[in-house]
PDB file of all heavy atoms in Angstrom:
ATOM      1  N   LYS U  70     109.946 114.966  82.648  1.00  0.00           N
ATOM      2  CA  LYS U  70     109.263 116.231  82.778  1.00  0.00           C
ATOM      3  C   LYS U  70     110.301 117.295  83.145  1.00  0.00           C
ATOM      4  O   LYS U  70     110.269 118.457  82.644  1.00  0.00           O
ATOM      5  CB  LYS U  70     108.164 116.216  83.893  1.00  0.00           C
ATOM      6  CG  LYS U  70     107.085 115.294  83.595  1.00  0.00           C
ATOM      7  CD  LYS U  70     106.133 115.225  84.733  1.00  0.00           C
ATOM      8  CE  LYS U  70     105.280 114.099  84.697  1.00  0.00           C
ATOM      9  NZ  LYS U  70     104.720 113.641  85.893  1.00  0.00           N
ATOM     10  N   VAL U  71     111.300 116.991  84.031  1.00  0.00           N
ATOM     11  CA  VAL U  71     112.204 117.995  84.497  1.00  0.00           C
ATOM     12  C   VAL U  71     113.125 118.316  83.278  1.00  0.00           C
ATOM     13  O   VAL U  71     113.459 119.465  83.168  1.00  0.00           O
ATOM     14  CB  VAL U  71     113.005 117.358  85.697  1.00  0.00           C
ATOM     15  CG1 VAL U  71     114.078 118.298  86.020  1.00  0.00           C
ATOM     16  CG2 VAL U  71     112.009 117.139  86.770  1.00  0.00           C
ATOM     17  N   VAL U  72     113.467 117.331  82.577  1.00  0.00           N
ATOM     18  CA  VAL U  72     114.541 117.476  81.564  1.00  0.00           C
ATOM     19  C   VAL U  72     114.191 118.282  80.328  1.00  0.00           C
ATOM     20  O   VAL U  72     115.033 118.808  79.616  1.00  0.00           O
ATOM     21  CB  VAL U  72     115.071 116.119  81.184  1.00  0.00           C
ATOM     22  CG1 VAL U  72     116.049 116.109  80.020  1.00  0.00           C
ATOM     23  CG2 VAL U  72     115.820 115.383  82.311  1.00  0.00           C
ATOM     24  N   VAL U  73     112.829 118.545  80.188  1.00  0.00           N
ATOM     25  CA  VAL U  73     112.373 119.220  79.059  1.00  0.00           C
ATOM     26  C   VAL U  73     113.119 120.518  78.826  1.00  0.00           C
ATOM     27  O   VAL U  73     113.615 120.835  77.692  1.00  0.00           O
ATOM     28  CB  VAL U  73     110.891 119.494  79.034  1.00  0.00           C
ATOM     29  CG1 VAL U  73     110.364 120.390  77.948  1.00  0.00           C
ATOM     30  CG2 VAL U  73     110.084 118.181  78.911  1.00  0.00           C
ATOM     31  N   LYS U  74     113.292 121.313  79.892  1.00  0.00           N
ATOM     32  CA  LYS U  74     113.937 122.639  79.677  1.00  0.00           C
ATOM     33  C   LYS U  74     115.467 122.401  79.480  1.00  0.00           C
ATOM     34  O   LYS U  74     116.171 123.378  78.956  1.00  0.00           O
ATOM     35  CB  LYS U  74     113.655 123.589  80.808  1.00  0.00           C
ATOM     36  CG  LYS U  74     114.275 123.262  82.055  1.00  0.00           C
ATOM     37  CD  LYS U  74     113.992 124.349  83.069  1.00  0.00           C
ATOM     38  CE  LYS U  74     114.609 123.928  84.478  1.00  0.00           C
ATOM     39  NZ  LYS U  74     114.237 124.900  85.484  1.00  0.00           N
ATOM     40  N   GLU U  75     116.025 121.256  79.839  1.00  0.00           N
ATOM     41  CA  GLU U  75     117.461 121.110  79.759  1.00  0.00           C
ATOM     42  C   GLU U  75     117.768 120.842  78.240  1.00  0.00           C
ATOM     43  O   GLU U  75     118.931 121.116  77.776  1.00  0.00           O
ATOM     44  CB  GLU U  75     117.943 119.813  80.475  1.00  0.00           C
ATOM     45  CG  GLU U  75     117.937 120.011  81.956  1.00  0.00           C
ATOM     46  CD  GLU U  75     118.366 118.608  82.624  1.00  0.00           C
ATOM     47  OE1 GLU U  75     118.899 117.788  81.941  1.00  0.00           O
ATOM     48  OE2 GLU U  75     118.061 118.521  83.801  1.00  0.00           O
ATOM     49  N   GLU U  76     116.854 120.378  77.512  1.00  0.00           N
ATOM     50  CA  GLU U  76     117.091 120.014  76.105  1.00  0.00           C
ATOM     51  C   GLU U  76     117.720 121.144  75.285  1.00  0.00           C
ATOM     52  O   GLU U  76     118.590 120.851  74.410  1.00  0.00           O
ATOM     53  CB  GLU U  76     115.734 119.562  75.431  1.00  0.00           C
ATOM     54  CG  GLU U  76     115.615 118.095  75.510  1.00  0.00           C
ATOM     55  CD  GLU U  76     114.315 117.638  74.644  1.00  0.00           C
ATOM     56  OE1 GLU U  76     113.292 118.114  75.066  1.00  0.00           O
ATOM     57  OE2 GLU U  76     114.576 116.996  73.706  1.00  0.00           O
ATOM     58  N   SER U  77     117.208 122.342  75.498  1.00  0.00           N
ATOM     59  CA  SER U  77     117.655 123.383  74.654  1.00  0.00           C
ATOM     60  C   SER U  77     119.080 123.793  74.952  1.00  0.00           C
ATOM     61  O   SER U  77     119.858 124.296  74.169  1.00  0.00           O
ATOM     62  CB  SER U  77     116.724 124.577  74.893  1.00  0.00           C
ATOM     63  OG  SER U  77     116.729 124.921  76.224  1.00  0.00           O
ATOM     64  N   SER U  78     119.526 123.600  76.276  1.00  0.00           N
ATOM     65  CA  SER U  78     120.913 124.107  76.624  1.00  0.00           C
ATOM     66  C   SER U  78     121.945 123.052  76.697  1.00  0.00           C
ATOM     67  O   SER U  78     123.078 123.334  76.368  1.00  0.00           O
ATOM     68  CB  SER U  78     120.784 124.849  77.933  1.00  0.00           C
ATOM     69  OG  SER U  78     120.144 123.984  78.864  1.00  0.00           O
ATOM     70  N   VAL U  79     121.597 121.938  77.169  1.00  0.00           N
ATOM     71  CA  VAL U  79     122.588 120.881  77.422  1.00  0.00           C
ATOM     72  C   VAL U  79     122.343 119.631  76.646  1.00  0.00           C
ATOM     73  O   VAL U  79     121.226 119.208  76.635  1.00  0.00           O
ATOM     74  CB  VAL U  79     122.699 120.527  78.903  1.00  0.00           C
ATOM     75  CG1 VAL U  79     123.765 119.521  79.349  1.00  0.00           C
ATOM     76  CG2 VAL U  79     122.892 121.832  79.769  1.00  0.00           C
ATOM     77  N   ASP U  80     123.389 119.033  76.059  1.00  0.00           N
ATOM     78  CA  ASP U  80     123.231 117.758  75.370  1.00  0.00           C
ATOM     79  C   ASP U  80     123.207 116.566  76.392  1.00  0.00           C
ATOM     80  O   ASP U  80     124.153 115.905  76.464  1.00  0.00           O
ATOM     81  CB  ASP U  80     124.268 117.520  74.315  1.00  0.00           C
ATOM     82  CG  ASP U  80     124.018 116.332  73.457  1.00  0.00           C
ATOM     83  OD1 ASP U  80     122.848 115.951  73.422  1.00  0.00           O
ATOM     84  OD2 ASP U  80     124.842 115.894  72.763  1.00  0.00           O
ATOM     85  N   SER U  81     122.225 116.468  77.179  1.00  0.00           N
ATOM     86  CA  SER U  81     122.130 115.510  78.281  1.00  0.00           C
ATOM     87  C   SER U  81     121.741 114.177  77.771  1.00  0.00           C
ATOM     88  O   SER U  81     120.835 114.073  76.990  1.00  0.00           O
ATOM     89  CB  SER U  81     121.237 115.960  79.369  1.00  0.00           C
ATOM     90  OG  SER U  81     120.911 114.971  80.291  1.00  0.00           O
ATOM     91  N   PRO U  82     122.500 113.092  78.295  1.00  0.00           N
ATOM     92  CA  PRO U  82     121.928 111.776  77.981  1.00  0.00           C
ATOM     93  C   PRO U  82     120.562 111.398  78.500  1.00  0.00           C
ATOM     94  O   PRO U  82     119.972 110.411  78.248  1.00  0.00           O
ATOM     95  CB  PRO U  82     123.026 110.780  78.376  1.00  0.00           C
ATOM     96  CG  PRO U  82     123.697 111.536  79.551  1.00  0.00           C
ATOM     97  CD  PRO U  82     123.601 112.958  79.214  1.00  0.00           C
ATOM     98  N   TYR U  83     120.179 112.251  79.545  1.00  0.00           N
ATOM     99  CA  TYR U  83     118.878 111.981  80.131  1.00  0.00           C
ATOM    100  C   TYR U  83     117.753 112.712  79.482  1.00  0.00           C
ATOM    101  O   TYR U  83     116.694 112.615  79.961  1.00  0.00           O
ATOM    102  CB  TYR U  83     118.996 112.307  81.617  1.00  0.00           C
ATOM    103  CG  TYR U  83     120.114 111.763  82.279  1.00  0.00           C
ATOM    104  CD1 TYR U  83     121.299 112.534  82.583  1.00  0.00           C
ATOM    105  CD2 TYR U  83     120.094 110.391  82.618  1.00  0.00           C
ATOM    106  CE1 TYR U  83     122.347 111.980  83.174  1.00  0.00           C
ATOM    107  CE2 TYR U  83     121.154 109.859  83.232  1.00  0.00           C
ATOM    108  CZ  TYR U  83     122.342 110.539  83.494  1.00  0.00           C
ATOM    109  OH  TYR U  83     123.464 110.001  84.014  1.00  0.00           O
ATOM    110  N   LYS U  84     118.046 113.436  78.385  1.00  0.00           N
ATOM    111  CA  LYS U  84     116.913 114.274  77.887  1.00  0.00           C
ATOM    112  C   LYS U  84     115.842 113.410  77.272  1.00  0.00           C
ATOM    113  O   LYS U  84     116.027 112.265  76.775  1.00  0.00           O
ATOM    114  CB  LYS U  84     117.551 115.228  76.791  1.00  0.00           C
ATOM    115  CG  LYS U  84     117.984 114.578  75.569  1.00  0.00           C
ATOM    116  CD  LYS U  84     118.539 115.603  74.650  1.00  0.00           C
ATOM    117  CE  LYS U  84     119.142 114.974  73.371  1.00  0.00           C
ATOM    118  NZ  LYS U  84     119.811 115.827  72.480  1.00  0.00           N
ATOM    119  N   THR U  85     114.629 114.064  77.243  1.00  0.00           N
ATOM    120  CA  THR U  85     113.500 113.298  76.694  1.00  0.00           C
ATOM    121  C   THR U  85     113.677 113.177  75.191  1.00  0.00           C
ATOM    122  O   THR U  85     114.017 114.078  74.550  1.00  0.00           O
ATOM    123  CB  THR U  85     112.232 114.169  76.994  1.00  0.00           C
ATOM    124  OG1 THR U  85     112.124 114.317  78.336  1.00  0.00           O
ATOM    125  CG2 THR U  85     110.973 113.428  76.446  1.00  0.00           C
ATOM    126  N   ASN U  86     113.440 111.927  74.719  1.00  0.00           N
ATOM    127  CA  ASN U  86     113.498 111.723  73.280  1.00  0.00           C
ATOM    128  C   ASN U  86     112.130 112.094  72.695  1.00  0.00           C
ATOM    129  O   ASN U  86     111.145 111.637  73.125  1.00  0.00           O
ATOM    130  CB  ASN U  86     113.801 110.238  73.027  1.00  0.00           C
ATOM    131  CG  ASN U  86     114.062 110.020  71.481  1.00  0.00           C
ATOM    132  OD1 ASN U  86     113.178 110.367  70.701  1.00  0.00           O
ATOM    133  ND2 ASN U  86     115.178 109.398  71.146  1.00  0.00           N
ATOM    134  N   LYS U  87     112.116 113.070  71.646  1.00  0.00           N
ATOM    135  CA  LYS U  87     110.843 113.600  71.164  1.00  0.00           C
ATOM    136  C   LYS U  87     110.014 112.471  70.560  1.00  0.00           C
ATOM    137  O   LYS U  87     108.798 112.563  70.388  1.00  0.00           O
ATOM    138  CB  LYS U  87     111.177 114.813  70.312  1.00  0.00           C
ATOM    139  CG  LYS U  87     111.493 115.971  70.983  1.00  0.00           C
ATOM    140  CD  LYS U  87     111.801 117.135  70.054  1.00  0.00           C
ATOM    141  CE  LYS U  87     112.279 118.353  70.760  1.00  0.00           C
ATOM    142  NZ  LYS U  87     113.195 119.175  70.044  1.00  0.00           N
ATOM    143  N   SER U  88     110.756 111.363  70.092  1.00  0.00           N
ATOM    144  CA  SER U  88     110.023 110.264  69.411  1.00  0.00           C
ATOM    145  C   SER U  88     109.417 109.316  70.453  1.00  0.00           C
ATOM    146  O   SER U  88     108.713 108.376  69.961  1.00  0.00           O
ATOM    147  CB  SER U  88     110.873 109.590  68.500  1.00  0.00           C
ATOM    148  OG  SER U  88     111.661 110.413  67.705  1.00  0.00           O
ATOM    149  N   ALA U  89     109.675 109.400  71.683  1.00  0.00           N
ATOM    150  CA  ALA U  89     109.194 108.446  72.630  1.00  0.00           C
ATOM    151  C   ALA U  89     107.733 108.195  72.622  1.00  0.00           C
ATOM    152  O   ALA U  89     106.951 109.155  72.286  1.00  0.00           O
ATOM    153  CB  ALA U  89     109.624 108.815  74.082  1.00  0.00           C
ATOM    154  N   ILE U  90     107.353 106.971  72.729  1.00  0.00           N
ATOM    155  CA  ILE U  90     105.975 106.628  72.692  1.00  0.00           C
ATOM    156  C   ILE U  90     105.500 106.511  74.219  1.00  0.00           C
ATOM    157  O   ILE U  90     106.089 105.873  74.964  1.00  0.00           O
ATOM    158  CB  ILE U  90     105.689 105.213  72.042  1.00  0.00           C
ATOM    159  CG1 ILE U  90     106.481 105.143  70.760  1.00  0.00           C
ATOM    160  CG2 ILE U  90     104.205 104.889  71.859  1.00  0.00           C
ATOM    161  CD1 ILE U  90     106.464 103.743  70.014  1.00  0.00           C
ATOM    162  N   HIS U  91     104.304 107.122  74.501  1.00  0.00           N
ATOM    163  CA  HIS U  91     103.840 107.073  75.755  1.00  0.00           C
ATOM    164  C   HIS U  91     102.426 106.498  75.826  1.00  0.00           C
ATOM    165  O   HIS U  91     101.634 106.589  74.879  1.00  0.00           O
ATOM    166  CB  HIS U  91     103.803 108.512  76.395  1.00  0.00           C
ATOM    167  CG  HIS U  91     105.191 109.070  76.529  1.00  0.00           C
ATOM    168  ND1 HIS U  91     105.990 108.685  77.378  1.00  0.00           N
ATOM    169  CD2 HIS U  91     105.718 110.130  75.846  1.00  0.00           C
ATOM    170  CE1 HIS U  91     107.229 109.346  77.294  1.00  0.00           C
ATOM    171  NE2 HIS U  91     106.925 110.246  76.313  1.00  0.00           N
ATOM    172  N   GLY U  92     102.146 105.819  76.939  1.00  0.00           N
ATOM    173  CA  GLY U  92     100.798 105.290  77.120  1.00  0.00           C
ATOM    174  C   GLY U  92     100.427 105.283  78.590  1.00  0.00           C
ATOM    175  O   GLY U  92     101.342 105.444  79.514  1.00  0.00           O
ATOM    176  N   ALA U  93      99.127 105.149  78.931  1.00  0.00           N
ATOM    177  CA  ALA U  93      98.797 105.221  80.329  1.00  0.00           C
ATOM    178  C   ALA U  93      98.879 103.817  80.919  1.00  0.00           C
ATOM    179  O   ALA U  93      99.113 103.615  82.141  1.00  0.00           O
ATOM    180  CB  ALA U  93      97.312 105.732  80.447  1.00  0.00           C
ATOM    181  N   ARG U  94      98.577 102.800  80.109  1.00  0.00           N
ATOM    182  CA  ARG U  94      98.793 101.405  80.619  1.00  0.00           C
ATOM    183  C   ARG U  94      99.068 100.551  79.385  1.00  0.00           C
ATOM    184  O   ARG U  94      98.187 100.066  78.687  1.00  0.00           O
ATOM    185  CB  ARG U  94      97.577 100.879  81.398  1.00  0.00           C
ATOM    186  CG  ARG U  94      97.794  99.508  82.039  1.00  0.00           C
ATOM    187  CD  ARG U  94      96.620  98.873  82.611  1.00  0.00           C
ATOM    188  NE  ARG U  94      96.929  97.470  82.914  1.00  0.00           N
ATOM    189  CZ  ARG U  94      96.015  96.557  83.216  1.00  0.00           C
ATOM    190  NH1 ARG U  94      94.791  96.947  83.271  1.00  0.00           N
ATOM    191  NH2 ARG U  94      96.311  95.272  83.430  1.00  0.00           N
ATOM    192  N   TRP U  95     100.335 100.184  79.222  1.00  0.00           N
ATOM    193  CA  TRP U  95     100.800  99.476  78.056  1.00  0.00           C
ATOM    194  C   TRP U  95     100.330  97.986  78.279  1.00  0.00           C
ATOM    195  O   TRP U  95     100.290  97.436  79.396  1.00  0.00           O
ATOM    196  CB  TRP U  95     102.229  99.392  77.905  1.00  0.00           C
ATOM    197  CG  TRP U  95     102.821 100.733  77.445  1.00  0.00           C
ATOM    198  CD1 TRP U  95     103.895 101.449  77.972  1.00  0.00           C
ATOM    199  CD2 TRP U  95     102.504 101.443  76.214  1.00  0.00           C
ATOM    200  NE1 TRP U  95     104.130 102.590  77.309  1.00  0.00           N
ATOM    201  CE2 TRP U  95     103.260 102.660  76.197  1.00  0.00           C
ATOM    202  CE3 TRP U  95     101.562 101.264  75.262  1.00  0.00           C
ATOM    203  CZ2 TRP U  95     103.240 103.572  75.104  1.00  0.00           C
ATOM    204  CZ3 TRP U  95     101.464 102.232  74.254  1.00  0.00           C
ATOM    205  CH2 TRP U  95     102.288 103.339  74.179  1.00  0.00           C
ATOM    206  N   GLY U  96      99.848  97.368  77.165  1.00  0.00           N
ATOM    207  CA  GLY U  96      99.500  95.940  77.177  1.00  0.00           C
ATOM    208  C   GLY U  96      99.655  95.287  75.840  1.00  0.00           C
ATOM    209  O   GLY U  96     100.065  95.969  74.865  1.00  0.00           O
ATOM    210  N   MET U  97      99.424  94.094  75.754  1.00  0.00           N
ATOM    211  CA  MET U  97      99.592  93.320  74.551  1.00  0.00           C
ATOM    212  C   MET U  97      98.415  92.339  74.351  1.00  0.00           C
ATOM    213  O   MET U  97      97.849  91.897  75.329  1.00  0.00           O
ATOM    214  CB  MET U  97     100.769  92.369  74.677  1.00  0.00           C
ATOM    215  CG  MET U  97     102.058  93.071  74.356  1.00  0.00           C
ATOM    216  SD  MET U  97     103.384  91.787  74.568  1.00  0.00           S
ATOM    217  CE  MET U  97     104.770  92.700  73.971  1.00  0.00           C
ATOM    218  N   VAL U  98      98.129  92.116  73.050  1.00  0.00           N
ATOM    219  CA  VAL U  98      97.084  91.002  72.715  1.00  0.00           C
ATOM    220  C   VAL U  98      97.874  90.044  71.794  1.00  0.00           C
ATOM    221  O   VAL U  98      98.466  90.413  70.761  1.00  0.00           O
ATOM    222  CB  VAL U  98      95.887  91.527  72.089  1.00  0.00           C
ATOM    223  CG1 VAL U  98      94.988  90.392  71.717  1.00  0.00           C
ATOM    224  CG2 VAL U  98      95.164  92.592  72.922  1.00  0.00           C
ATOM    225  N   ILE U  99      97.905  88.770  72.270  1.00  0.00           N
ATOM    226  CA  ILE U  99      98.658  87.746  71.547  1.00  0.00           C
ATOM    227  C   ILE U  99      97.716  86.831  70.797  1.00  0.00           C
ATOM    228  O   ILE U  99      96.805  86.206  71.585  1.00  0.00           O
ATOM    229  CB  ILE U  99      99.588  86.916  72.404  1.00  0.00           C
ATOM    230  CG1 ILE U  99     100.707  87.836  73.133  1.00  0.00           C
ATOM    231  CG2 ILE U  99     100.334  85.843  71.600  1.00  0.00           C
ATOM    232  CD1 ILE U  99     101.583  87.171  74.104  1.00  0.00           C
ATOM    233  N   ASN U 100      97.747  86.747  69.584  1.00  0.00           N
ATOM    234  CA  ASN U 100      96.855  85.877  68.765  1.00  0.00           C
ATOM    235  C   ASN U 100      97.569  84.538  68.619  1.00  0.00           C
ATOM    236  O   ASN U 100      98.406  84.385  67.750  1.00  0.00           O
ATOM    237  CB  ASN U 100      96.440  86.532  67.516  1.00  0.00           C
ATOM    238  CG  ASN U 100      95.246  85.695  66.727  1.00  0.00           C
ATOM    239  OD1 ASN U 100      95.213  84.588  67.030  1.00  0.00           O
ATOM    240  ND2 ASN U 100      94.619  86.326  65.913  1.00  0.00           N
ATOM    241  N   THR U 101      97.229  83.515  69.398  1.00  0.00           N
ATOM    242  CA  THR U 101      97.968  82.349  69.510  1.00  0.00           C
ATOM    243  C   THR U 101      97.874  81.594  68.149  1.00  0.00           C
ATOM    244  O   THR U 101      98.870  80.929  67.837  1.00  0.00           O
ATOM    245  CB  THR U 101      97.494  81.481  70.627  1.00  0.00           C
ATOM    246  OG1 THR U 101      96.072  81.349  70.531  1.00  0.00           O
ATOM    247  CG2 THR U 101      97.842  81.958  72.017  1.00  0.00           C
ATOM    248  N   SER U 102      96.836  81.618  67.480  1.00  0.00           N
ATOM    249  CA  SER U 102      96.606  80.850  66.252  1.00  0.00           C
ATOM    250  C   SER U 102      97.511  81.333  65.184  1.00  0.00           C
ATOM    251  O   SER U 102      97.721  80.687  64.111  1.00  0.00           O
ATOM    252  CB  SER U 102      95.187  80.880  65.763  1.00  0.00           C
ATOM    253  OG  SER U 102      94.811  82.195  65.379  1.00  0.00           O
ATOM    254  N   MET U 103      98.092  82.552  65.341  1.00  0.00           N
ATOM    255  CA  MET U 103      99.048  83.136  64.266  1.00  0.00           C
ATOM    256  C   MET U 103     100.459  82.816  64.593  1.00  0.00           C
ATOM    257  O   MET U 103     101.372  83.241  63.915  1.00  0.00           O
ATOM    258  CB  MET U 103      98.792  84.631  64.187  1.00  0.00           C
ATOM    259  CG  MET U 103      97.502  85.068  63.579  1.00  0.00           C
ATOM    260  SD  MET U 103      97.265  86.829  63.597  1.00  0.00           S
ATOM    261  CE  MET U 103      98.418  87.392  62.447  1.00  0.00           C
ATOM    262  N   ILE U 104     100.727  81.942  65.618  1.00  0.00           N
ATOM    263  CA  ILE U 104     102.098  81.723  65.862  1.00  0.00           C
ATOM    264  C   ILE U 104     102.330  80.229  65.854  1.00  0.00           C
ATOM    265  O   ILE U 104     101.862  79.510  66.680  1.00  0.00           O
ATOM    266  CB  ILE U 104     102.502  82.282  67.338  1.00  0.00           C
ATOM    267  CG1 ILE U 104     102.246  83.782  67.372  1.00  0.00           C
ATOM    268  CG2 ILE U 104     103.895  81.911  67.719  1.00  0.00           C
ATOM    269  CD1 ILE U 104     102.532  84.399  68.644  1.00  0.00           C
ATOM    270  N   ASP U 105     103.243  79.798  64.896  1.00  0.00           N
ATOM    271  CA  ASP U 105     103.602  78.429  64.898  1.00  0.00           C
ATOM    272  C   ASP U 105     105.062  78.326  65.555  1.00  0.00           C
ATOM    273  O   ASP U 105     105.627  79.317  65.939  1.00  0.00           O
ATOM    274  CB  ASP U 105     103.629  77.924  63.466  1.00  0.00           C
ATOM    275  CG  ASP U 105     104.516  78.688  62.514  1.00  0.00           C
ATOM    276  OD1 ASP U 105     105.294  79.437  62.958  1.00  0.00           O
ATOM    277  OD2 ASP U 105     104.308  78.642  61.314  1.00  0.00           O
ATOM    278  N   ALA U 106     105.594  77.132  65.520  1.00  0.00           N
ATOM    279  CA  ALA U 106     106.820  76.859  66.214  1.00  0.00           C
ATOM    280  C   ALA U 106     107.942  77.813  65.636  1.00  0.00           C
ATOM    281  O   ALA U 106     108.825  78.319  66.338  1.00  0.00           O
ATOM    282  CB  ALA U 106     107.243  75.476  66.094  1.00  0.00           C
ATOM    283  N   LYS U 107     107.916  77.936  64.276  1.00  0.00           N
ATOM    284  CA  LYS U 107     108.980  78.721  63.570  1.00  0.00           C
ATOM    285  C   LYS U 107     108.906  80.159  64.008  1.00  0.00           C
ATOM    286  O   LYS U 107     109.920  80.815  64.342  1.00  0.00           O
ATOM    287  CB  LYS U 107     108.888  78.592  62.063  1.00  0.00           C
ATOM    288  CG  LYS U 107     109.979  79.076  61.283  1.00  0.00           C
ATOM    289  CD  LYS U 107     109.793  78.671  59.861  1.00  0.00           C
ATOM    290  CE  LYS U 107     110.659  79.604  59.035  1.00  0.00           C
ATOM    291  NZ  LYS U 107     110.310  79.677  57.556  1.00  0.00           N
ATOM    292  N   LYS U 108     107.702  80.744  64.017  1.00  0.00           N
ATOM    293  CA  LYS U 108     107.490  82.110  64.387  1.00  0.00           C
ATOM    294  C   LYS U 108     107.905  82.389  65.881  1.00  0.00           C
ATOM    295  O   LYS U 108     108.542  83.363  66.235  1.00  0.00           O
ATOM    296  CB  LYS U 108     106.197  82.598  64.017  1.00  0.00           C
ATOM    297  CG  LYS U 108     106.079  84.124  63.995  1.00  0.00           C
ATOM    298  CD  LYS U 108     104.712  84.663  63.842  1.00  0.00           C
ATOM    299  CE  LYS U 108     104.332  84.643  62.369  1.00  0.00           C
ATOM    300  NZ  LYS U 108     102.905  85.246  62.121  1.00  0.00           N
ATOM    301  N   ALA U 109     107.470  81.328  66.714  1.00  0.00           N
ATOM    302  CA  ALA U 109     107.822  81.498  68.168  1.00  0.00           C
ATOM    303  C   ALA U 109     109.238  81.468  68.277  1.00  0.00           C
ATOM    304  O   ALA U 109     109.729  82.324  69.144  1.00  0.00           O
ATOM    305  CB  ALA U 109     107.163  80.099  68.849  1.00  0.00           C
ATOM    306  N   ALA U 110     110.017  80.760  67.568  1.00  0.00           N
ATOM    307  CA  ALA U 110     111.559  80.669  67.701  1.00  0.00           C
ATOM    308  C   ALA U 110     112.105  82.106  67.302  1.00  0.00           C
ATOM    309  O   ALA U 110     113.006  82.547  67.938  1.00  0.00           O
ATOM    310  CB  ALA U 110     112.081  79.530  66.901  1.00  0.00           C
ATOM    311  N   LYS U 111     111.503  82.589  66.245  1.00  0.00           N
ATOM    312  CA  LYS U 111     111.988  83.822  65.683  1.00  0.00           C
ATOM    313  C   LYS U 111     111.762  84.975  66.787  1.00  0.00           C
ATOM    314  O   LYS U 111     112.613  85.801  67.014  1.00  0.00           O
ATOM    315  CB  LYS U 111     111.386  84.128  64.365  1.00  0.00           C
ATOM    316  CG  LYS U 111     111.636  85.437  63.723  1.00  0.00           C
ATOM    317  CD  LYS U 111     110.736  85.699  62.474  1.00  0.00           C
ATOM    318  CE  LYS U 111     110.692  87.224  62.054  1.00  0.00           C
ATOM    319  NZ  LYS U 111     109.589  87.424  61.242  1.00  0.00           N
TER     320      LYS U 111
END
Side-chain angles (χ1 to χ4, degrees):
K70 293 174 199 159
V71 174
V72 167
V73 170
K74 69 176 178 186
E75 290 178 16
E76 267 187 296
S77 57
S78 53
V79 184
D80 188 19
S81 164
Y83 308 106
K84 68 184 177 186
T85 303
N86 186 306
K87 284 179 186 151
S88 313
I90 310 172
H91 297 290
R94 186 184 167 196
W95 290 126
M97 278 181 176
V98 178
I99 301 178
N100 190 336
T101 51
S102 65
M103 289 175 70
I104 300 178
D105 58 14
K107 192 174 163 199
K108 195 184 281 185
K111 177 184 162 200

